[in-house]
Amino acid sequence: MEVYQGKSIFKGIAIGKLFFYSKGEQAVKREKIQDVEAEIARYEAAKEEAIAQLNALYEKAVKEVGEVNAAVFEVHAMMLDDDDYVDSVKNIIETQQVNAEFAVATTGDNFSNMFAEMEDDYFRARAVDVKDISERLVNVLSGRNEGSDIGEEPVIVVADDLAPSETVQMDKDKLLAFVTKYGSSNSHTAILARTMNIPALIGVEIQEDWNGKLAVVDGYEGCLYIEPEEEVLVKMKKRQQEDVEARELLQNLRGKEDVTLDGKKIRLYANIGSGKDVASVLANDAAGIGLFRSEFLYLEAEDYPDEEAQFQAYKTVAENMAGKKVIVRTLDIGADKQVGYFGLDKEENPAMGYRAIRICLDRTDVFKTQLRALLRASAFGNIAIMYPMIISVDEVRRIKAIVEEIKKELDEQGIRYGEVEQGIMIETPAAVVISDLLAEEVDFFSIGTNDLTQYTLAIDRQNMKLDNIYDAHHPAVLRMIQTTIDNGHKHGCWVGICGELGADMTLTETFVKMGIDELSVSPSCVLPIRKLIREMRVEE
């Protein structure tokens, strides 16, 4: 038996044979061509086929992992149409009179290297995306099928790394777990693994000769056992069965209150990426929706979505939730969420740039359209509105003035709207420090721990080189959360958490004892966290 240590990105036990997944990258030959126009036409046709493949992948991913996690394939499709990328390919074909495969591979290498050398972590992360889209194009041009077939029997997939497109294309009924040498716990592929409930390890020194051997992935301890001894196999099978029984027992918690043994009630809500996710919210018995990411309406549109389209989307969710609270976050694009028709400039540091509420307060016509749709939809359910990336009291007051202006317009037009709570995301150290002042302006806070952690620690959460020091449990982060809760309560605000840390069950009791009022998590985490809440005492 051999034992290897890695980093777990989803807890669980998987037992099965190992399948060594190789991309089988082919060497691209440089060939001289005679007809430049014909070669460019061949490239254009291949590009359209690659985009069609990515659109199909997007649709498949939406069904399996939701709108937000599927968005990476939309980004890849947009990158294939990027002017700089396209111009580079065409220029190489024209000036060097070479085959499209060579031009694409050269462009992919050049752009990937360029991104990898940038100081900004966001652009460094794009290096992998450029390689992925270039390999897809070369495969189409050469008539080569994508190699995501993992065979007929369930296996544990082992690879150097996996692109999101490769993970999504694998048959989920045959995928027991995956183990990779590279990757980050915050990468797209890692997020997909968690969403699909697939045990996974990263950072394992893999070997090709493992192929076909029996193995165990222990996602609890981050261990990989190759040809496990009988004692280990028995132990892991027992743990696996316990997991199945635990999931079945959780169903008994449906309909139960989210209340501690000594009577402290918590609002346990769910995060969603689109209206299609409401079914999962209801199936997992969440008390409401704590984060409705409205940007999906913009990401999937070819132009700015109009008021009526947005109204219908918000209204449908509100009606389906039948009076349960639905907290809609206003448009949060920029940084890693780019929308072509917004015409946003490339930035040195987009995570700290022109994004979210900064765009909305600058392009008030776009913002007002969304707010009108939300206020109209509030007549059909319990909608609350939440504003992202707030750093000042002035921003909140400007937002409130716009809302009052829209209410006046709706009154004059005789259009109904409901009583709408307004809150803000606490995502920056600045917002935490002045949270006492902000609390006097709004009804609630929702702490976005993903951004708050990276801004507090000055660490890009998608930079795999910094995974070993990225610590969401850092005392500074926890103090930020405590300060926000205390200041919110002193000034009449209820306080929730909607970032990934809210689903960290090692911190659930800590958050409850801090005085948190609400936790909003992925739908599948609702019942496990309900179980924890119902078994704890707040008062010692």
Side-chain angles (χ1 to χ4, degrees):
M1 179 177 73
E2 298 174 67
V3 184
Y4 295 84
Q5 190 68 40
K7 181 173 183 179
S8 175
I9 55 175
F10 186 79
K11 295 185 184 338
I13 304 293
I15 302 171
K17 288 184 178 179
L18 293 168
F19 177 88
F20 191 88
Y21 177 80
S22 174
K23 294 177 187 287
E25 296 176 15
Q26 56 182 351
V28 177
K29 293 182 180 179
R30 176 189 175 113
E31 297 176 1
K32 204 76 172 169
I33 53 125
Q34 300 301 319
D35 191 337
V36 169
E37 287 187 11
E39 196 65 13
I40 289 177
R42 194 167 76 89
Y43 157 68
E44 291 281 9
K47 185 184 72 167
E48 293 307 312
E49 170 60 24
I51 290 173
Q53 288 180 3
L54 287 164
N55 290 337
L57 273 177
Y58 172 78
E59 294 299 328
K60 184 175 189 290
V62 164
K63 295 173 184 175
E64 295 179 353
V65 296
E67 298 266 0
V68 173
N69 294 315
V72 61
F73 302 114
E74 285 189 311
V75 172
H76 281 197
M78 287 190 287
M79 289 176 75
L80 280 170
D81 255 338
D82 178 79
D83 289 341
D84 293 333
Y85 184 90
V86 171
D87 289 347
S88 174
V89 174
K90 288 181 177 179
N91 181 63
I92 292 172
I93 294 172
E94 289 171 350
T95 59
Q96 299 182 37
Q97 294 187 326
V98 292
N99 56 320
E101 290 91 336
F102 181 81
V104 168
T106 301
T107 296
D109 288 342
N110 291 343
F111 274 57
S112 181
N113 292 336
M114 177 178 66
F115 284 135
E117 290 171 2
M118 287 185 174
E119 291 185 7
D120 182 75
D121 292 326
Y122 169 78
F123 285 111
R124 277 208 300 267
R126 300 287 72 77
V128 176
D129 293 324
V130 173
K131 291 287 283 184
D132 197 25
I133 64 167
S134 300
E135 286 172 12
R136 178 177 296 279
L137 254 181
V138 169
N139 284 340
V140 174
L141 284 162
S142 60
R144 188 167 168 269
N145 293 325
E146 294 180 284
S148 291
D149 183 11
I150 56 176
E152 295 302 316
E153 62 177 301
V155 291
I156 297 168
V157 171
V158 180
D160 281 334
D161 202 357
L162 289 167
S165 57
E166 292 167 325
T167 309
V168 166
Q169 287 176 102
M170 291 175 182
D171 185 344
K172 301 305 166 297
D173 292 333
K174 306 292 191 303
L175 183 57
L176 299 173
F178 68 74
V179 180
T180 64
K181 181 177 181 180
Y182 304 110
S184 159
S185 57
N186 292 294
S187 68
H188 291 303
T189 302
I191 292 169
L192 288 175
R194 286 193 286 267
T195 306
M196 295 184 291
N197 298 337
I198 297 173
L201 303 179
I202 60 174
V204 177
E205 288 296 327
I206 65 171
Q207 298 173 29
E208 194 167 347
D209 63 6
W210 290 350
N211 195 54
K213 292 183 178 179
L214 182 66
V216 173
V217 172
D218 180 356
Y220 294 98
E221 301 298 330
C223 285
L224 172 67
Y225 298 90
I226 308 294
E227 296 185 323
E229 295 171 352
E230 187 63 25
E231 183 182 351
V232 171
L233 203 54
V234 170
K235 178 183 174 184
M236 292 300 164
K237 285 181 178 178
K238 182 182 177 185
R239 183 65 189 271
Q240 196 175 43
Q241 182 58 34
E242 288 171 353
D243 285 350
V244 172
E245 292 170 0
R247 284 195 293 272
E248 290 173 353
L249 282 172
L250 285 175
Q251 293 305 311
N252 296 327
L253 292 170
R254 288 179 53 79
K256 301 288 177 65
E257 280 192 299
D258 301 305
V259 59
T260 65
L261 291 170
D262 46 358
K264 165 73 174 173
K265 289 187 178 180
I266 304 296
R267 304 177 195 178
L268 192 48
Y269 292 169
N271 298 334
I272 67 169
S274 79
K276 296 175 184 176
D277 298 332
V278 172
S280 185
V281 174
L282 298 174
N284 286 279
D285 199 36
I289 293 170
L291 172 61
F292 179 1
R293 301 177 178 92
S294 68
E295 54 270 17
F296 88 95
L297 286 165
Y298 299 80
L299 288 167
E300 67 180 17
E302 294 182 0
D303 203 348
Y304 297 96
D306 62 22
E307 180 183 324
E308 192 61 28
Q310 294 194 58
F311 164 68
Q312 291 296 338
Y314 305 139
K315 173 176 174 281
T316 300
V317 173
E319 287 178 332
N320 287 340
M321 290 301 292
K324 292 181 178 179
K325 191 178 292 294
V326 177
I327 301 174
V328 182
R329 181 177 69 190
T330 57
L331 178 61
D332 185 9
I333 62 161
D336 60 341
K337 289 173 284 190
Q338 296 291 321
V339 181
Y341 56 83
F342 270 76
L344 302 179
D345 296 329
K346 290 182 179 178
E347 297 179 293
E348 287 292 321
N349 195 346
M352 296 187 181
Y354 188 59
R355 58 176 294 198
I357 203 64
R358 298 165 185 178
I359 295 174
C360 291
L361 288 175
D362 187 39
R363 303 186 184 185
T364 52
D365 55 332
V366 175
F367 194 31
K368 285 181 178 179
T369 298
Q370 180 172 35
L371 290 174
R372 275 185 62 94
L374 282 166
L375 286 170
R376 287 174 56 198
S378 70
F380 298 87
N382 186 4
I383 285 181
I385 306 176
M386 178 164 71
Y387 309 105
M389 281 296 289
I390 297 296
I391 62 167
S392 71
V393 171
D394 178 64
E395 286 173 329
V396 178
R397 289 176 178 168
R398 287 172 63 194
I399 292 165
K400 289 167 68 178
I402 293 170
V403 171
E404 288 307 310
E405 180 186 327
I406 293 169
K407 284 182 177 179
K408 186 177 178 183
E409 290 175 2
L410 293 174
D411 287 336
E412 290 171 353
Q413 295 166 0
I415 298 174
R416 291 188 308 129
Y417 56 88
E419 290 295 322
V420 176
E421 279 191 318
Q422 295 184 77
I424 61 172
M425 298 273 294
I426 302 291
E427 299 172 276
T428 66
V432 174
V433 173
I434 62 167
S435 55
D436 55 334
L437 304 177
L438 292 168
E440 294 180 348
E441 302 288 335
V442 297
D443 299 305
F444 66 92
F445 290 153
S446 188
I447 303 171
T449 55
N450 300 358
D451 272 334
L452 182 60
T453 300
Q454 73 169 344
Y455 293 142
T456 300
L457 302 182
I459 293 176
D460 184 337
R461 58 196 169 96
Q462 295 196 52
N463 187 337
M464 68 181 73
K465 292 181 180 178
L466 302 177
D467 253 12
N468 60 325
I469 59 171
Y470 181 88
D471 179 14
H473 292 210
H474 193 289
V477 176
L478 298 180
R479 286 187 183 187
M480 291 270 186
I481 294 170
Q482 185 69 73
T483 297
T484 303
I485 294 170
D486 292 344
N487 283 337
H489 289 172
K490 282 178 190 174
H491 298 275
C493 259
W494 63 265
V495 184
I497 294 175
C498 65
E500 282 199 25
L501 208 57
D504 186 336
M505 290 191 285
T506 66
L507 286 175
T508 303
E509 186 170 351
T510 298
F511 291 148
V512 173
K513 288 183 175 179
M514 281 181 173
I516 202 73
D517 301 297
E518 177 245 20
L519 292 171
S520 191
V521 299
S522 63
S524 63
C525 293
V526 169
L527 293 176
I529 292 176
R530 175 173 295 167
K531 183 175 185 293
L532 278 180
I533 290 171
R534 291 177 61 84
E535 292 173 350
M536 72 174 68
R537 290 186 183 277
V538 179
E539 302 296 334
E540 296 295 343

